[in-house]
Amino acid sequence: MIFIPAAGLGSRLGELTTHINKCMLKVGDVAAISHIIYSYPNEHEFLIATGHGGTLIRKYLKIMHPDKRLHYVDVEPYQGPGSSLLHTILQCKYKLQQPFVLNVCDSFVAYPIK
């Protein structure tokens, strides 16, 4: 399982993420989250934690990656007091009861992962 936490505001990116989640920012011709998904072999499942812009993320992934096994957890709160990466992981704990790779949505590689 590949775990992609994409719930937060991405506030360090300033105005770029006011209306869109940072995983949806384009890198080249596709959203950053697609680069992450493309870097893993087809047999992997993905757990995506959503919050800020979660509906758009789901719609995008349904269109761009209909053949992938994608699972979602909606994280609350995803901003303000109590929100953090640790909070997101704890919200997803019940789906992460197996070995998993944590791949944050602003970190990806330019080559396939085996």
Side-chain angles (χ1 to χ4, degrees):
M1 166 109 28
I2 311 304
F3 175 45
I4 305 172
L9 296 174
S11 58
R12 289 184 295 240
L13 293 172
E15 293 178 5
L16 290 173
T17 55
T18 301
H19 301 290
I20 192 168
N21 188 286
K22 70 180 175 182
C23 79
M24 295 297 295
L25 294 175
K26 284 179 70 175
V27 178
D29 292 335
V30 298
I33 196 167
S34 284
H35 286 282
I36 294 167
I37 291 171
Y38 290 142
S39 69
Y40 290 95
N42 286 335
E43 66 269 10
H44 283 79
E45 292 185 54
F46 295 85
L47 176 62
I48 298 128
T50 61
H52 174 58
T55 301
L56 179 62
I57 294 168
R58 286 175 186 245
K59 287 179 180 179
Y60 171 82
L61 292 175
K62 184 176 181 180
I63 292 167
M64 292 299 294
H65 302 283
D67 58 328
K68 300 294 182 181
R69 293 181 294 165
L70 305 172
H71 310 277
Y72 301 92
V73 171
D74 294 318
V75 175
E76 285 292 337
Y78 61 83
Q79 65 178 337
S83 65
S84 67
L85 177 57
L86 177 58
H87 174 71
T88 296
I89 293 168
L90 291 173
Q91 291 279 297
C92 297
K93 179 181 173 181
Y94 70 99
K95 292 208 176 213
L96 294 172
Q97 297 300 309
Q98 60 185 300
F100 67 92
V101 173
L102 171 65
N103 199 137
V104 293
C105 62
D106 57 357
S107 177
F108 53 90
V109 296
Y111 53 87
I113 299 169
K114 296 179 181 186

